[in-house]
Amino acid sequence: DADTAMYHAKAMGRNNYQFYTQEINKKDNDRLTLETDLRKALDRDEFQLHFQPKINLKNGKVVGVEALLRWKNHPNVSPAAYIPLLEETGLIIPVGEWVLRTACNQIRAWQAEKLPALHIAVNLSVRQFSQKDLIDTISRILNETGLEPYLLELEITESLLMDNKESNIAILTNIKNMGVRISMDDFGTGYSSLSYLKRFPIHTLKIDQSFVKGITTNADDAAIAGAIINLAHSLRLNVVAEGVETQEQHDFLLQNDCNQAQGYLISRPLPAAEFETWLKARNA
Ligand code: C2E
Ligand code: MG
Ligand code: MG
Ligand code: MG
């Protein structure tokens, strides 16, 4: 109905809303159906991770992968479309734990197969920070899987800096002290004050893809991306560009000293087996 539609339109943004109506909600028009389906999805093993490589721009080497959630029944729907609902229902807690464990296990499996060492980046939603045992969960999963903490990178967004600032800083500091890295995703799109950057134990800034999109065609986007790269270097942070789709964007970023790149130019996010094939071919 109209209220439900409005709810989703607001929560998910216009593009995701279109996906939602076209893909997920073809037959049933209520939010409850989606919620019920999401509740069952974990038990029924309907979630999957795709992996997207990040390269070192200077030497082209694959340095790591970002794990991205996929719902097998709706492979073309961005998780951005249902993560708000996962958060609202609290399902993000068990799903987030599943993502973390599956991602760490995958890297261990690739280590066992003697693939070159890869970092794994996992997205954390703000809601996971209100879970009181987040630190325990991370450390338990590292123990269970045997992954070296420095290979794990947690991607957070600026919205984390807005509410519960002090307690979130404390949690992030604990995570950092475990040896796990923290990356600021979608940087430049939030409302955070730059002064928080020095208080947050961040290892990496990820330039949001909205700026990367225009770097070779729009002087403002180029200036913003350049400024973020300089800011990162001044603060001794690693800097990654996401959403790199063209060789021109790649070359601009390389010339402007960006450390790493991620995007369709290099590879789309791929299921584990396909990523493995892709990596072997690239390294051959
Ligand atoms: P994100 O963390 O910023 O991830 C990057 C998104 O950009 C991914 O969308 C990826 O598929 C897409 N992308 C990568 N390269 C390109 C490119 O060259 N061009 C374009 N147009 N897009 C590119 P995806 O997989 O749909 O995920 C959307 C968002 O959903 C993620 O944004 C992240 O915020 C969230 N998300 C994904 N997986 C998880 C998860 O396991 N947990 C949580 N909490 N959030 C997740
Ligand atoms: Mg991310
Ligand atoms: Mg991002
Ligand atoms: Mg994003």
Side-chain angles (χ1 to χ4, degrees), residues 35 40 51 66 76 89 93 95 113 126 140 160 203 205 207 212 228 235 246 248 254-255 260:
E35 189 178 326
K40 292 177 189 154
F51 300 88
E66 177 172 3
N76 300 320
T89 54
I93 304 298
V95 172
E113 290 177 43
V126 179
R140 183 164 37 80
L160 195 69
H203 185 266
L205 292 185
I207 308 170
V212 175
I228 295 174
L235 296 172
T246 69
E248 291 71 28
L254 178 60
Q255 280 151 23
Q260 295 167 5

Side-chain angles (χ1 to χ4, degrees), residues 122-155:
V122 172
N123 293 284
L124 280 194
S125 92
V126 179
R127 179 75 155 76
Q128 289 172 272
F129 280 80
S130 53
Q131 173 201 11
K132 62 175 185 334
D133 59 349
L134 177 64
I135 312 263
D136 290 345
T137 302
I138 295 168
S139 101
R140 183 164 37 80
I141 289 174
L142 286 171
N143 276 323
E144 279 172 18
T145 60
L147 187 77
E148 301 93 317
Y150 80 94
L151 289 178
L152 177 63
E153 189 161 18
L154 299 174
E155 297 196 357

Side-chain angles (χ1 to χ4, degrees), residues 22-39:
Q22 286 164 16
E23 295 278 338
I24 299 182
N25 217 10
K26 227 173 270 168
K27 301 178 213 87
D28 316 286
N29 279 316
D30 66 313
R31 171 179 182 270
L32 216 59
T33 308
L34 174 61
E35 189 178 326
T36 309
D37 288 351
L38 281 169
R39 278 189 195 284

Side-chain angles (χ1 to χ4, degrees), residues 49 52 66-70 78-80 83 92 99 123-125 128 155 185-186 209 242-245 262-265 269:
L49 293 182
Q52 187 179 37
E66 177 172 3
L68 294 157
L69 186 63
R70 292 294 179 266
S78 166
I83 277 170
I92 194 69
V99 169
N123 293 284
L124 280 194
S125 92
Q128 289 172 272
E155 297 196 357
D185 208 348
D186 306 339
Q209 46 192 21
E242 58 180 11
V244 179
E245 293 185 354
Q262 178 182 351
Y264 296 166
L265 176 71

Side-chain angles (χ1 to χ4, degrees), residues 263-276:
Y264 296 166
L265 176 71
I266 299 134
S267 170
R268 288 184 176 258
L270 299 171
E274 284 175 45
F275 172 76
E276 206 176 312

Side-chain angles (χ1 to χ4, degrees), residues 8 31 35 59 72 85 102 108 120 129 149-150 152 169-170 184-185 192 204 210 212-213 218 221 227 242 245 251:
H8 283 293
R31 171 179 182 270
E35 189 178 326
N59 60 22
K72 285 181 201 166
L85 197 50
T102 307
R108 292 293 283 154
I120 179 85
F129 280 80
Y150 80 94
L152 177 63
I169 291 179
M184 180 67 75
D185 208 348
S192 66
T204 295
S210 60
V212 175
K213 211 178 174 70
N218 179 302
D221 286 338
E242 58 180 11
E245 293 185 354
D251 296 347

Side-chain angles (χ1 to χ4, degrees), residues 158-177:
E158 286 169 275
S159 54
L160 195 69
L161 317 195
M162 289 169 62
D163 30 59
N164 296 315
K165 262 181 327 241
E166 295 308 322
S167 78
N168 286 337
I169 291 179
I171 295 171
L172 287 173
T173 305
N174 274 322
I175 293 174
K176 187 203 173 165
N177 290 341

